[in-house]
């Protein structure tokens, strides 16, 4: 699966965005190391803090199916600009995707980042191990 296809999957995921409050639709698609793709959308809540971002929806779908290694994640929104993942999502991507690629698209134009570029000096599972 190439990055453009992954971007298209993210737009498919965005179709189910539940955004009655912000009206800001986001879609994501996770490519796992085993080659599977999981899509996600943002899902808002009347209690705003209970909202789940598109990236986390896609990642949690993957992880709940036993896919814990992310190769790449594509993120899109319905705006005409690039939408970067929020801080919480960067951290969740980090948990399952150390060294993965983050693809940000506007239309079918996309930019590819290493997770490290958008989340430098990171903290992850390895940091909790006693002998590193
Ligand atoms: N949102 C995402 O889905 N992903 C992000 O990385 C940024 C924010 C959603 C959450 C909320 O539904 C809406 O965008 C406005 O914050």
């Amino acid at each position: 699966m190439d990055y453009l296809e992954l971007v298209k999957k993210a737009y498919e995921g965005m179709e189910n965005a539940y955004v009655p409050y912000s009206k800001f639709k986001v879609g994501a698609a996770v490519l796992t190391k085993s080659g599977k793709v999981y899509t996600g959308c943002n899902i808002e809540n009347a209690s705003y803090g209970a909202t789940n971002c598109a990236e986390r929806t896609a990642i949690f779908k993957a992880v709940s199916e036993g896919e814990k290694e992310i190769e790449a994640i594509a993120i899109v929104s319905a705006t005409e600009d690039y939408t970067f993942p929020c801080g919480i999502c960067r951290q969740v991507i980090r948990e399952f995707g150390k060294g993965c690629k983050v693809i940000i698209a506007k239309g079918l134009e996309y930019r590819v980042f290493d997770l490290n570029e958008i989340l430098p000096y990171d903290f992850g599972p390895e940091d909790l191990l006693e002998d590193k």
Side-chain angles (χ1 to χ4, degrees), residues 22-49:
S22 75
K23 319 273 192 227
F24 189 84
K25 292 183 177 183
V26 184
V30 163
L31 174 65
T32 66
K33 287 232 163 110
S34 66
K36 293 190 180 139
V37 174
Y38 295 86
T39 60
C41 59
N42 50 337
I43 304 169
E44 298 186 342
N45 194 283
S47 175
Y48 298 168

Side-chain angles (χ1 to χ4, degrees), residues 18-19 21-28 41-45 48 51-57 75-77 83-90:
Y18 174 74
V19 290
Y21 310 108
S22 75
K23 319 273 192 227
F24 189 84
K25 292 183 177 183
V26 184
C41 59
N42 50 337
I43 304 169
E44 298 186 342
N45 194 283
Y48 298 168
T51 292
N52 205 58
C53 289
E55 298 90 321
R56 280 177 285 143
T57 302
I75 301 153
V76 303
S77 75
T83 296
F84 282 82
C86 77
I88 293 173
C89 287
R90 290 177 201 211

Side-chain angles (χ1 to χ4, degrees), residues 81-99:
D81 210 346
Y82 293 108
T83 296
F84 282 82
C86 77
I88 293 173
C89 287
R90 290 177 201 211
Q91 183 64 31
V92 174
I93 296 167
R94 167 64 181 83
E95 184 77 18
F96 302 103
K98 184 172 164 62

Side-chain angles (χ1 to χ4, degrees), residues 63-122:
V63 173
S64 68
E65 295 296 321
E67 294 288 333
K68 297 190 199 67
E69 291 190 303
I70 299 174
E71 177 89 32
I73 180 168
I75 301 153
V76 303
S77 75
T79 67
E80 286 176 4
D81 210 346
Y82 293 108
T83 296
F84 282 82
C86 77
I88 293 173
C89 287
R90 290 177 201 211
Q91 183 64 31
V92 174
I93 296 167
R94 167 64 181 83
E95 184 77 18
F96 302 103
K98 184 172 164 62
C100 78
K101 301 288 183 195
V102 179
I103 298 124
I104 314 290
K106 105 176 148 180
L108 293 181
E109 247 175 74
Y110 63 86
R111 299 176 65 186
V112 181
F113 295 87
D114 287 325
L115 179 61
N116 289 346
E117 289 178 77
I118 63 165
L119 189 69
Y121 306 107
D122 57 347

